[in-house]
């Protein structure tokens, strides 16, 4: 239970279900401070309650509470008062932390290494302990190696455990060593869907206190739970670790964009179409780093699982969160997913008491406004490389042709190229540009939504009944984010039809959406390489960045689950499926999309008949138990982890090696060289190691040297607990275009002292041996995409001291600071190109030393060859300045823990 100074006397009691629970009443604050708290946006009311409950006079003061509480009034007034409120710094303390295994393993590894470092500094290793509940769901490790066969799930699960036993043992150790860490075992579901359906509380009940459920997640799509009115967002693993250890997240009071919804979705449009429309609209509006909040009459007509789909893709339009208020839809979904009647009653009572209940007639004050008539949403997909590039389905064929011509550098009328695929049997065929080689129903984004999942099953049923079949070159797969999906598919009798088309269960995990698509069908990869073909994937996911889905697939489209099935039937993007047939039926007649598309009434009937709360209760009754393989793991014991010196999966990270008790003074950067010069929209997928490990790269060479053969490489994600592999894979994405190595694609650069081209890793190591610091030059939206902490960790381990970019995505900028890397932003009108920077210059970055101890300036001077210019230093808060001064957030937290855990006057004490 929080211990608050409660300067405003807001602590009171909420009577519900015969119990009296302590709450910090917002209405009392409004009365005593004379502020218009009622018109605050929903999300800011949650932050305000968080401040009231955690007021300690240090991180949270009465002044910071008043600054946030006055936001609505000052925003309405405008001018200087509004700017003052926006510049106010607040400290947010989440109620819990959510992790998936790719990001969770390095978090647990860092915590284990912090325990070792704590002992070295004379502190108590037990002091390194999560201070808030932490929940880790293993969902990123299963790969769709086998598909479209009855034993696909069993085979994929066997391979998953064989590949990941070291990691799983380590996570089991962490679950035992850290009291508040819970682990959801493999093949249970995707973390965001498990969170939505089971873990999320909406309102926490601690026995004596009630307060809003809030969280930080180590995956950017944590925002999915915003659809359930839970405030949370994705952060890097390093920031999550600090929050887990009791450090509040410092932030400036955000702008809140009010998104007004009116009308109702038209027949034939799905939640996926809606979210792609929202993504396009908000990307154009510009919401990076802002909160988005939905309101208006249309909110009540958006089902909860549709809200979750919208919230899930918040990172794709760049907002910190995208939240819906609490209303009857919230309560209906909680009952629907098996939450207890007592808890649902608490949520309703708390929301109404605190002004968190949605009232369409009371419009909050917002920074900006966006509006959408739901009736205007039309069937769509997005691609071929970015989620915000929405394409109306009616234009998909034309848009594909335009994208293909641009990609190939050929005229729109270029002759199609066909290449034979030899399968060794009678099914030999040809493929060409635009053929769909992957069709995957995958990802929490859509598998959490019964409407679109049932629509996919019904479309499959209609297609099978008409005699249609999937084209032979299409690899099909079904990877739901929850076991409940298969329960309602079975109950509705839809499973056999999906399996008939190859959409059989391959696992409960992210699979294709994160690059775990597995190999293409026999002979297809060879044909793609032989013809240099631009082939296509269609998936019901949230990310389609180039190089992410499969190394052989250059064009990737996001679509609703029923459209995934439809494109598997068509077999190509070079087809207008709104007018051209999907195929020929058993009667020899063409079958069109309209012939097999289910009506909304048909979908609603199946959802109503086939899904019940008892499914969720049964599925989650033993969510932390796991199967016999999980229970049978041989788990190490002890409060400190026994690192295996030969492990190629988990190694003690080097961030605390020889760390001094007191940080060294901040110095200017001199004599730096550029490791990379990159363009716009470089994502964390380009920076961070992700997907398959190539045998001809530095990471593959290291694994071979350490006795691992290429078939056993596994993915980068599975080896995120091994810094030796990860640093060698940083900036090694096969689609990275480094302008310092013209004519190359992938992780190459020029080592300027000799002028030779080499891998980025090898060049970085040679620069480190010479004592040369490094910088990276980039364009707009640097670091967009998933909240990959290794995009910052790997960059730091390569020796990069600063990134000079036109703009940064929120999470990656924070992660760079968290690893002691300077995020420098070109001033308006400036860029590397406009300043004539080639990247071959020697860089000096000045102004850090002049600021004095404990301070950082807002601008720094950069000398690059003959050029001298200023750049904005994007270390945005005083606490971030502390992190940077300590060499990163983890050394800062460790030093604070060490001071608190060791006696005064002894090593690690206050002396």
């Amino acid at each position: 239970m929080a211990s608050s100074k409660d300067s405003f006397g807001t602590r009171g009691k909420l009577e519900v279900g015969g119990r009296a629970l302590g709450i910090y009443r917002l209405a009392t604050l409004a009365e005593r401070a004379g502020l218009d708290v009622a018109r605050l946006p929903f999300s800011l009311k949650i932050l305000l309650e968080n401040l009231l409950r955690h007021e300690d006079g240090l991180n949270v003061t009465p002044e910071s509470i008043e600054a946030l509480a006055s936001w609505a009034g000052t925003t309405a007034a405008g001018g200087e008062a509004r700017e003052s409120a926006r510049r106010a710094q607040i400290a947010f303390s989440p109620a819990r932390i959510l992790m998936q295994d790719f990001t969770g393993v390095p978090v647990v590894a860092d915590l284990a290494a912090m325990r070792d470092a704590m002992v070295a500094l004379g502190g108590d290793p037990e002091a390194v302990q999560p201070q808030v509940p932490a929940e880790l769901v293993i969902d990123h490790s299963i790969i769709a190696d086998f598909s479209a066969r009855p034993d696909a799930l069993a085979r994929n699960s066997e391979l998953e455990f064989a590949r990941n036993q070291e990691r799983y043992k380590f996570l089991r150790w962490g679950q035992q060593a850290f009291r508040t860490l819970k682990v959801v075992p493999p093949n249970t579901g995707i973390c965001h869907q498990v969170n939505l359906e089971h873990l999320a509380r909406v309102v926490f009940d601690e026995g004596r206190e009630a307060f809003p459920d809030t969280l930080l997640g180590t995956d950017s799509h944590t925002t999915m739970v915003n659809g359930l009115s839970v405030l949370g967002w994705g952060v890097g693993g390093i920031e999550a670790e600090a929050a887990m250890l009791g450090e509040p997240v410092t932030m400036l009071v955000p702008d809140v964009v009010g998104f007004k919804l009116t009308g109702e979705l038209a027949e034939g449009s799905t939640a996926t179409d809606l979210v792609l429309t929202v993504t396009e609209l908000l990307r154009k509006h510009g919401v990076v780093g802002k909160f988005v909040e939905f309101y208006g009459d249309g909110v009540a007509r958006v089902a909860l699982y549709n809200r979750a789909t919208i919230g899930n893709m918040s990172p794709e339009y760049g907002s910190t969160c995208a939240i819906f208020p609490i209303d009857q839809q919230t309560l209906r979904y909680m009952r629907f997913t098996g939450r207890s009647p007592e808890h649902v009653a608490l949520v309703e009572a708390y929301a109404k008491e605190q002004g968190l209940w949605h009232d369409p007639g009371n419009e909050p004050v917002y920074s900006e406004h966006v509006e959408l008539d739901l009736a205007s949403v039309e069937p769509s997909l997005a691609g071929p490389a970015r989620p915000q590039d929405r394409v109306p389905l009616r234009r998909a064929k034309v848009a594909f042709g335009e994208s293909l011509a641009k990609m190939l550098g050929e005229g729109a009328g270029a002759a199609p190229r066909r290449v034979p695929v030899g399968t060794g049997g009678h099914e030999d065929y040809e493929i060409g540009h635009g053929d769909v080689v992957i069709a995957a129903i995958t990802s929490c984004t859509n598998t959490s939504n019964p409407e679109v999942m049932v629509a996919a099953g019904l479309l499959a049923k209609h297609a099978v009944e008409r005699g249609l079949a999937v084209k032979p070159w299409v690899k099909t797969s079904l990877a739901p984010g929850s076991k409940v999906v298969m329960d309602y598919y079975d109950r509705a009798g839809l499973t056999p039809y999906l399996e008939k088309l190859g959409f059989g269960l391959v696992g409960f995990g992210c699979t294709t959406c994160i690059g775990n698509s597995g190999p293409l069908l026999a002979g297809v990869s060879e044909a793609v390489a032989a013809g240099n073909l631009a082939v296509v994937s269609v998936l019901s996911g949230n990310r389609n960045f180039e190089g992410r889905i499969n190394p052989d697939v250059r064009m990737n489209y996001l679509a609703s689950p029923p459209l995934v099935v439809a494109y598997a039937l068509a077999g190509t993007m070079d087809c207008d499926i709104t007018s051209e047939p999907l195929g020929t039926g058993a009667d020899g007649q063409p079958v069109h999309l309209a012939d097999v598309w289910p009506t909304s009434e048909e979908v609603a009937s199946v959802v109503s008949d086939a899904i019940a709360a008892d499914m969720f209760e049964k599925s989650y009754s033993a969510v932390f138990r796991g199967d016999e393989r999980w229970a049978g793991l041989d788990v190490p014991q002890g409060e400190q982890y026994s690192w295996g010196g030969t492990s190629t999966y988990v190694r003690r990270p080097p961030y605390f090696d020889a760390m001094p008790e007191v940080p060294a003074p901040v110095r200017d950067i001199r004599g730096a060289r550029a490791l990379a010069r990159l363009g716009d929209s470089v994502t964390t997928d380009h920076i961070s190691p992700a997907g398959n490990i190539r045998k001809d790269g530095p990471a593959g060479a290291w694994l071979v040297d350490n006795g691992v053969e290429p078939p056993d490489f596994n993915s980068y994600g599975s080896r995120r607990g091994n810094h030796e592999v990860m640093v060698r894979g940083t900036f090694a994405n096969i689609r990275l275009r480094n302008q310092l190595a013209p004519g190359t694609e992938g992780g190459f650069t020029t080592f300027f002292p000799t002028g030779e081209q080499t891998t980025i890793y090898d060049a970085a190591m040679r620069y480190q041996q010479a004592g040369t610091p490094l910088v990276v030059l980039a364009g707009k939206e640097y670091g967009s995409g998933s909240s990959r902490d290794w995009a910052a960790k790997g960059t730091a381990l390569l020796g990069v001291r600063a990134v000079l970019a036109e703009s940064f995505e929120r999470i990656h900028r924070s992660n760079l600071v968290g690893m002691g890397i300077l995020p420098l932003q070109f001033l308006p009108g400036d860029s590397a190109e406009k300043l004539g920077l080639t990247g071959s210059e020697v860089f000096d970055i000045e102004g850090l030393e002049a600021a004095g101890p404990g301070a950082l300036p807002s601008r720094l001077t950069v000398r690059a060859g003959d050029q001298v210019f200023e750049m904005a230093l994007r270390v945005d808060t005083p606490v971030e300045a502390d992190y940077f001064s300590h060499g990163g957030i983890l050394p800062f937290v460790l030093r604070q823990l060490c001071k608190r855990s060791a006696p005064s006057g002894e090593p690690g004490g206050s002396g």
Side-chain angles (χ1 to χ4, degrees):
M1 185 173 71
S3 176
S4 171
K5 290 182 176 294
D6 194 21
S7 298
F8 297 95
T10 62
R11 183 169 169 80
K13 294 290 184 182
L14 174 68
E15 301 284 342
V16 58
R19 301 166 62 210
L21 295 171
I23 66 170
Y24 289 83
R25 193 171 272 111
L26 297 180
T28 303
L29 175 65
E31 293 168 8
R32 299 191 175 178
L35 296 169
D36 188 11
V37 173
R39 294 199 68 205
L40 279 176
F42 172 83
S43 53
L44 295 192
K45 288 179 181 177
I46 294 177
L47 288 181
L48 182 58
E49 188 280 341
N50 196 273
L51 295 185
L52 291 173
R53 190 162 32 90
H54 291 94
E55 184 194 346
D56 59 2
L58 180 64
N59 292 306
V60 181
T61 64
E63 291 75 20
S64 62
I65 291 171
E66 282 195 279
L68 179 56
S70 63
W71 190 93
T74 55
T75 302
E80 184 177 337
R82 177 186 177 190
E83 288 303 312
S84 175
R86 288 179 61 197
R87 287 196 299 269
Q89 178 182 307
I90 59 173
F92 170 59
S93 298
R96 59 191 176 97
I97 303 295
L98 178 71
M99 297 177 284
Q100 40 95 333
D101 55 317
F102 273 15
T103 52
V105 166
V107 167
V108 178
D110 288 351
L111 293 177
M114 287 179 79
R115 282 193 165 182
D116 294 345
M118 179 70 84
V119 172
L121 291 172
D124 178 8
E126 276 285 318
V128 181
Q129 189 77 242
Q131 302 300 302
V132 298
E135 295 150 341
L136 188 154
V137 182
I138 299 176
D139 63 356
H140 274 49
S141 296
I142 190 147
I143 300 174
D145 289 290
F146 295 93
S147 63
R149 48 187 287 176
D151 63 346
L153 173 64
R155 297 293 299 275
N156 290 332
S157 298
E158 289 170 8
L159 283 173
E160 178 189 2
F161 263 85
R163 290 166 174 153
N164 296 289
Q165 273 208 30
E166 285 184 50
R167 297 169 63 244
Y168 292 172
K169 288 179 182 178
F170 179 62
L171 291 176
R172 282 284 308 275
W173 169 82
Q175 188 173 23
Q176 295 176 181
F178 301 109
R179 294 186 298 274
T180 54
L181 173 65
K182 290 185 177 181
V183 178
V184 176
N187 262 308
T188 303
I190 299 174
C191 65
H192 310 305
Q193 191 163 343
V194 173
N195 190 24
L196 185 77
E197 295 177 353
H198 180 71
L199 298 175
R201 286 78 156 171
V202 186
V203 172
F204 251 86
D205 179 355
E206 280 202 338
R208 287 188 290 173
E209 273 194 336
F211 51 89
D213 183 8
T214 57
L215 76 155
L216 297 177
T218 60
D219 187 286
S220 52
H221 296 102
T222 298
T223 50
M224 182 169 177
V225 80
N226 295 165
L228 192 59
S229 312
V230 176
L231 182 62
W233 56 86
V235 296
I238 46 184
E239 193 174 355
E241 289 170 47
M244 200 184 299
L245 293 167
E247 285 292 310
V249 175
T250 58
M251 56 191 289
L252 299 176
V253 175
D255 284 342
V256 184
V257 179
F259 197 127
K260 188 173 185 178
L261 295 174
T262 60
E264 194 166 0
L265 284 177
E267 179 70 33
S269 294
T270 68
T272 315
D273 306 320
L274 171 59
V275 75
L276 294 178
T277 303
V278 169
T279 300
E280 178 190 42
L281 185 61
L282 289 178
R283 266 292 173 188
K284 288 180 178 177
H285 180 82
V287 294
V288 172
K290 302 174 184 178
F291 282 15
V292 171
E293 187 170 308
F294 295 89
Y295 73 103
D297 292 339
V299 165
R301 291 186 287 275
V302 180
L304 199 292
Y305 29 77
N306 291 355
R307 297 179 185 187
T309 307
I310 294 171
N312 180 289
M313 288 187 70
S314 176
E316 276 58 70
Y317 36 90
S319 66
T320 303
C321 67
I323 196 164
F324 285 79
I326 298 173
D327 65 359
Q328 287 294 347
Q329 292 278 18
T330 315
L331 305 184
R332 187 176 297 119
Y333 183 81
M334 292 184 75
R335 297 186 192 100
F336 176 70
T337 49
R339 269 76 168 199
S340 72
E342 295 78 14
H343 192 71
V344 175
L346 170 62
V347 170
E348 181 174 9
Y350 185 88
K352 290 179 175 177
E353 175 67 27
Q354 292 283 58
L356 299 174
W357 189 264
H358 183 229
D359 178 3
N362 177 30
E363 182 173 320
V365 173
Y366 292 113
S367 312
E368 307 159 37
H369 291 263
V370 179
E371 188 167 342
L372 175 67
D373 180 358
L374 296 171
S376 68
V377 173
E378 61 178 318
S380 305
L381 36 76
R386 299 190 307 174
Q388 63 264 39
D389 295 335
R390 185 184 69 88
V391 180
L393 187 60
R394 56 184 167 76
R395 286 200 70 253
K397 178 180 179 178
V398 173
F400 159 74
E402 293 169 351
S403 297
L404 179 65
K406 183 178 179 181
M407 178 177 290
L408 300 179
E410 301 172 359
R417 182 182 303 157
R418 308 295 297 177
V419 178
V421 177
T423 62
H426 63 281
E427 296 181 350
D428 292 0
Y429 47 82
E430 292 184 338
I431 60 172
H433 293 312
D435 280 350
V436 175
V437 297
I438 291 176
I441 300 175
T442 179
S443 171
C444 51
T445 312
N446 286 289
T447 66
S448 62
N449 191 316
E451 287 186 352
V452 293
M453 294 298 284
V454 165
L458 287 171
L459 192 148
K461 179 178 184 290
H462 298 162
V464 169
E465 290 171 345
R466 296 294 293 267
L468 296 183
V470 169
K471 297 299 185 289
W473 53 83
V474 184
K475 179 176 182 176
T476 50
S477 62
L478 169 64
S482 164
K483 291 183 176 180
V484 175
V485 174
M486 297 311 299
D487 290 341
Y488 65 68
Y489 269 162
D490 289 343
R491 185 178 290 187
L494 296 176
T495 304
Y497 298 103
L498 287 160
E499 291 177 343
K500 179 75 172 177
L501 295 183
F503 288 96
L505 179 65
V506 299
F508 296 99
C510 299
T511 62
T512 302
C513 192
I514 59 162
N516 287 358
S517 57
L520 301 181
L521 297 182
V524 173
S525 289
E526 293 79 3
V528 169
N532 193 25
L533 298 178
V535 291
V536 170
S537 74
V538 182
L539 64 150
S540 64
N542 46 43
R543 292 275 163 83
N544 58 334
F545 304 132
E546 59 179 349
R548 178 185 178 95
I549 305 304
N550 185 286
D552 296 322
V553 181
R554 297 171 65 183
M555 306 180 79
N556 306 287
Y557 289 86
L558 305 181
S560 65
L563 283 181
V564 170
V565 177
Y567 273 105
L569 296 168
T572 179
M573 280 299 300
D574 194 19
C575 170
D576 181 358
I577 65 171
T578 66
S579 59
E580 299 177 48
L582 299 176
T584 302
D587 58 2
Q589 297 300 308
V591 180
H592 291 79
L593 182 63
D595 299 327
V596 294
W597 190 269
T599 65
S600 57
E601 290 81 6
E602 189 180 6
V603 171
S605 175
V606 172
V607 170
S608 174
D609 293 343
I611 309 177
D614 65 337
M615 290 181 169
F616 295 91
E617 295 168 4
K618 176 185 175 184
S619 181
Y620 290 112
S621 61
V623 68
F624 300 110
R625 187 180 303 162
D627 60 17
E628 64 280 358
R629 280 175 297 210
W630 177 257
L633 289 172
D634 182 18
V635 183
Q637 304 296 314
E639 63 184 20
Q640 287 180 259
Y641 187 68
S642 300
W643 303 97
T646 60
S647 174
T648 59
Y649 277 95
V650 180
R651 293 206 168 196
R652 186 168 63 84
Y655 315 122
F656 311 106
D657 289 354
M659 188 189 84
E661 187 176 340
V662 178
V666 174
R667 300 294 186 195
D668 290 340
I669 299 171
R670 300 195 178 277
R673 286 289 199 172
L675 186 63
R677 184 185 172 198
L678 308 170
D680 294 340
S681 299
V682 171
T683 72
T684 49
D685 278 7
H686 290 109
I687 307 165
S688 176
N692 296 323
I693 301 173
R694 296 176 58 163
K695 62 183 178 182
D696 57 351
W702 186 90
L703 287 170
V704 169
D705 288 345
N706 282 268
V708 181
E709 294 301 319
D712 300 320
F713 277 2
N714 211 336
S715 66
Y716 276 115
S718 68
R719 296 188 183 272
R720 284 175 97 158
N722 183 346
H723 63 279
E724 297 286 5
V725 170
M726 298 303 284
V727 69
R728 286 166 171 80
T730 303
F731 291 111
N733 185 291
I734 60 172
R735 299 302 180 201
L736 184 79
R737 297 175 184 87
N738 183 4
Q739 297 167 28
L740 300 186
T744 68
E745 199 171 33
F748 296 94
T749 192
T750 294
F751 182 67
F752 287 111
T754 63
E756 64 184 294
Q757 283 192 1
T758 184
T759 66
I760 283 178
Y761 172 77
D762 289 338
M765 294 303 102
R766 291 168 71 178
Y767 281 125
Q768 281 193 27
Q769 290 171 4
T772 303
L774 299 172
V775 300
V776 170
L777 302 175
K780 300 180 183 69
E781 298 178 351
Y782 182 76
S784 57
S786 299
S787 55
R788 300 189 187 279
D789 54 328
W790 267 109
K793 286 180 174 179
T795 300
L797 291 178
L798 287 173
V800 174
R801 301 282 305 282
V803 176
L804 288 61
E806 293 178 60
S807 64
F808 295 88
E809 284 283 312
R810 175 186 62 85
I811 297 175
H812 188 59
R813 183 207 62 79
S814 174
N815 283 349
L816 290 174
V817 176
M819 289 307 299
I821 299 170
L822 290 172
L824 295 177
Q825 190 161 313
F826 288 104
L827 300 182
D830 281 354
S831 67
E833 186 177 0
K834 289 179 181 177
L835 291 168
L837 303 180
T838 65
S840 62
E841 301 87 355
V842 175
F843 292 80
D844 292 335
I845 300 174
E846 303 170 345
L848 293 168
E849 295 175 16
L856 291 177
S858 60
R859 291 189 179 183
L860 295 178
T861 299
V862 179
R863 301 178 185 275
D866 296 332
Q867 290 273 27
V868 180
F869 51 94
E870 287 194 330
M871 295 190 73
L873 176 55
R874 291 295 313 281
V875 178
D876 289 350
T877 67
V879 172
E880 284 190 344
D882 284 341
Y883 295 159
F884 179 80
S885 299
H886 278 256
I889 192 170
L890 297 183
F892 172 85
V893 171
L894 179 58
R895 290 186 177 108
Q896 306 312 305
L897 289 173
C898 197
K899 285 179 182 179
R900 293 198 292 265
S901 71
S904 179
E906 294 185 7
S910 59

